[in-house]
Amino acid sequence: MFIGIDWGGTKMEVIALDRDGETRARHRVATPTSGYDDCILAVHGLVAAAEKTAGEQGSIGIGIPGSPNPRTGIVRNSNAVLINGKPLGRDLEQALGRKVRLANDANCLAVSEAVDGAGKDAQTVFGVIVGTGHGGGLAIGKKVHAGYQGVAAEIGHYPLPWMTKDEYPGHKCWCGKHGCLDMYACGTGVELDYRLTTGVEKRGRDIIEAKRAGDPASTGVYNRFVDRLARSLALLTNIVDPDVFVLGGGMSNVDEIYEDVPPRVVNYLFGDSFETPVRKAMHGDSSGVRGAAWLWKD
């Protein structure tokens, strides 16, 4: 049995899968904000609950925001700030009494979709999260490719490619730099663009609905989002050239992007065509937790 945990900023979820990918147990709790030790206890409780429901023990994989340094095990770059600077893997292994595999949550998305999702027929799957932010994960041979530094596919904090004069130098990102994709090709970017264009605050889903109703301002915001996402996929194609892109996160549910984005990618490619499939994550919001479980699918 394979146990996966999705460690999110607001919730923790556990799933137990059998070898065929069928769900044996599933539970969730609010992510503790009271301290690091309480988070460790919450993970212990989720594993115990899953194993009690399923009636057996399993391997444990955990997807986290941020990533562990592959040499020190120290977690970096997490918006779940309680785990930054902590040897999370070692602490979890001590608490749970067994080996634990950790991976960035976007890498878990890629693994999930590579094993039995929208990329199951592919050797190289690039998962792109277009949710609150813009993130990425890479699976090769149905396994995480984290890279030598453990930061492969961290695409949210490279600059928006091929910036226009009006875009340069870019919005200031929470990371301290300017122009990061995390501020553009995502739901946050859509909402920010609309506010700067109209002076009005509006949620991303409402902007998309207004675009569908023909609102000119919302249509302009949508078109810029599509072009910015296309630029990201073009740069990734020029560098990685994966067999398939799989999109997750809230903006991946905007069905129009699967028709509108690919024709724009070719405008930025070092090539004459773009034929790489761009697909919605088959497992949707469950991709992260399923991918965490599949970290042990050797």
Side-chain angles (χ1 to χ4, degrees):
M1 189 174 71
F2 302 90
I3 295 173
I5 291 177
D6 182 17
W7 184 317
T10 59
K11 69 171 177 63
M12 290 181 175
E13 182 173 13
V14 66
I15 197 169
L17 303 175
D18 65 20
R19 292 190 176 274
D20 297 322
E22 296 297 321
T23 300
R24 298 279 303 279
R26 193 165 191 166
H27 304 278
R28 66 170 57 180
V29 296
T31 303
T33 58
S34 49
Y36 178 73
D37 291 341
D38 289 336
C39 290
I40 299 293
L41 288 174
V43 171
H44 186 280
L46 284 170
V47 171
E51 293 184 335
K52 181 177 180 180
T53 299
E56 62 178 295
Q57 280 196 331
S59 58
I60 302 172
I62 302 180
I64 61 170
S67 60
N69 183 305
R71 275 162 292 285
T72 67
I74 300 298
V75 174
R76 308 106 5 127
N77 305 323
S78 177
N79 59 10
V81 295
L82 288 173
I83 63 177
N84 282 327
K86 302 291 188 180
L88 181 60
R90 292 199 295 270
D91 290 343
L92 286 169
E93 288 179 350
Q94 183 175 0
L96 295 166
R98 74 192 90 164
K99 290 291 185 182
V100 171
R101 291 182 179 176
L102 295 181
N104 174 264
D105 49 11
N107 281 327
C108 290
L109 163 76
V111 168
S112 171
E113 296 297 322
V115 170
D116 61 356
K120 64 182 179 181
D121 55 344
Q123 171 69 11
T124 305
V125 177
F126 207 112
V128 181
I129 295 179
V130 278
T132 302
H134 185 87
L138 180 59
I140 300 176
K142 305 187 187 302
K143 299 185 183 303
V144 169
H145 180 79
Y148 186 72
Q149 306 294 336
V151 294
E154 288 282 4
I155 61 176
H157 297 280
Y158 62 60
L160 173 65
W162 299 283
M163 276 190 178
T164 67
K165 181 175 69 174
D166 292 338
E167 292 167 338
Y168 186 82
H171 308 310
K172 186 172 183 179
C173 180
W174 62 267
C175 75
K177 298 182 174 63
H178 285 79
C180 295
L181 266 165
D182 218 37
M183 300 298 294
Y184 285 95
C186 58
T188 296
V190 166
E191 293 173 358
L192 179 59
D193 191 0
Y194 187 87
R195 178 168 59 82
L196 293 175
T197 302
T198 67
V200 176
E201 298 272 1
K202 186 175 282 192
R203 296 174 66 185
R205 68 183 68 176
D206 297 326
I207 295 168
I208 296 301
E209 288 304 316
K211 169 260 177 189
R212 290 168 177 162
D215 174 61
S218 300
T219 299
V221 169
Y222 170 78
N223 287 336
R224 287 188 290 276
F225 163 72
V226 164
D227 191 70
R228 289 160 178 168
L229 179 56
R231 288 184 239 173
S232 180
L233 298 190
L235 185 58
L236 292 171
T237 302
N238 286 339
I239 296 171
V240 180
D241 198 9
D243 298 321
V244 61
F245 287 106
V246 179
L247 307 188
M251 294 299 292
S252 73
N253 295 317
V254 180
D255 291 336
E256 297 96 307
I257 64 176
Y258 299 96
E259 181 176 347
D260 294 339
V261 169
R264 299 202 188 195
V265 175
V266 72
N267 296 333
Y268 302 100
L269 278 183
F270 187 69
D272 58 0
S273 66
F274 178 73
E275 300 178 15
T276 309
V278 180
R279 300 170 181 161
K280 185 190 297 189
M282 182 180 296
H283 295 296
D285 293 341
S286 297
S287 283
V289 71
R290 291 178 65 89
W294 289 143
L295 292 176
W296 284 90
K297 192 173 176 63
D298 296 326

